[in-house]
Amino acid sequence: MARRIAVAAAAFLALSAVVPAALAQAPGPAATPSGPPNVTAVLEKGGQYTMFMRLMKETQQDTQLNSQLNSSFASNGGGYTVFAPTDNAFNSLKPGTLNSLTQQQQVALVQGHVLPQFYSMDSFQTASNPVRTQASGRDGPYTLNVTSTTNNQLNVSTGVVEVTVNNALSAVKPLAVYSVDKVLLPLELFGAKAPAAAPTASKPKKGGSDDAASGPAGSDDAAPTGAASARAVGWSVAGLAALLGYLL
């Protein structure tokens, strides 16, 4: 009996040592994001997007996009994609480019770098061009043409500039952020302006100038008046000659 109790006690002690270790090694549930992504935090971590962050802040697009990301995260929506120009990209612009834009145009410039849908590098291969951006004007939304290359890169074109994309700062839904080394100048803002229409020449009046044909005002009445005066003078001279002949 004592032997059985001793064996049971040893087994209990062995189980007490094994079970906690097994529980500690068991995999737990998969980790989930603690909250929605923040585009400002992603750009800050990238370290070379100060000018783009400043432009987003001045146009309040950072606040708007983060609010949209929060809603998309909560509703498991389609997400967003951002093409983030580097500081070198902004420094390569012609001096005065940004200052020449109105506040509304600066908003459109920032929104032209944002797509209202999450795109991974692979999903761009099946995207239909042109791809709509967040920006829009009187002629409709601003668009981009995005094509994938054989070496797992993307070519992005606005119609004014073209840039190659190969570096993702973030690619976890609902936010994808891709680094670009050119500012995506929209065709709608920086495309060639159509030349102004030339003024139409006035058509000459049919049959020539009426004024030239008619001559000075009143000339139609002047000719008959002169002829009548000449006839009156002639009659007066004839009458005077007849009178002289009678008297002589």
Side-chain angles (χ1 to χ4, degrees):
M1 183 68 178
R3 185 177 179 180
R4 291 180 180 178
I5 293 175
V7 171
F12 177 78
L13 292 174
L15 288 174
S16 298
V18 171
V19 170
L23 291 175
Q25 295 176 359
T32 57
S34 58
N38 184 292
V39 66
T40 306
V42 173
L43 295 175
E44 285 178 344
K45 186 176 180 180
Q48 53 178 338
Y49 307 94
T50 305
M51 299 184 73
F52 187 52
M53 291 169 56
R54 183 190 309 159
L55 186 59
M56 291 188 72
K57 183 176 182 180
E58 290 175 351
T59 57
Q60 300 182 351
Q61 293 307 295
D62 56 346
T63 303
Q64 177 175 319
L65 181 56
N66 285 327
S67 175
Q68 291 170 330
L69 285 168
N70 185 54
S71 299
S72 181
F73 179 83
S75 62
N76 195 27
Y80 294 87
T81 300
V82 178
F83 294 108
T86 63
D87 291 337
N88 287 337
F90 280 97
N91 291 332
S92 298
L93 291 175
K94 182 180 178 181
T97 297
L98 295 181
N99 291 335
S100 68
L101 300 177
T102 64
Q103 180 73 9
Q104 184 176 357
Q105 289 173 332
Q106 290 183 1
V107 170
L109 176 62
V110 173
Q111 292 179 338
H113 290 74
V114 182
L115 310 182
Q117 183 174 340
F118 173 85
Y119 285 98
S120 65
M121 293 285 284
D122 291 337
S123 63
F124 271 120
Q125 296 180 4
T126 58
S128 298
N129 284 309
V131 178
R132 185 170 62 90
T133 72
Q134 289 273 77
S136 62
R138 62 182 182 182
D139 295 327
Y142 293 10
T143 59
L144 301 172
N145 283 314
V146 184
T147 55
S148 57
T149 64
T150 56
N151 54 353
N152 199 31
Q153 293 181 335
L154 299 175
N155 287 334
V156 180
S157 173
T158 67
V160 177
V161 297
E162 184 172 344
V163 64
T164 300
V165 179
N166 53 21
N167 181 26
L169 302 179
S170 172
V172 179
K173 196 173 182 180
L175 176 63
V177 181
Y178 298 100
S179 178
V180 291
D181 57 10
K182 290 183 181 179
V183 179
L184 302 181
L185 302 178
L187 179 65
E188 292 79 358
L189 298 180
F190 295 92
K193 300 294 189 295
T200 56
S202 58
K203 295 181 180 179
K205 296 181 179 179
K206 189 175 181 180
S209 174
D210 291 344
D211 294 339
S214 61
S219 60
D220 290 344
D221 296 333
T225 303
S229 299
R231 286 195 297 270
V233 171
W235 292 338
S236 299
V237 171
L240 180 59
L243 178 60
L244 290 174
Y246 175 77
L247 293 174
L248 295 176

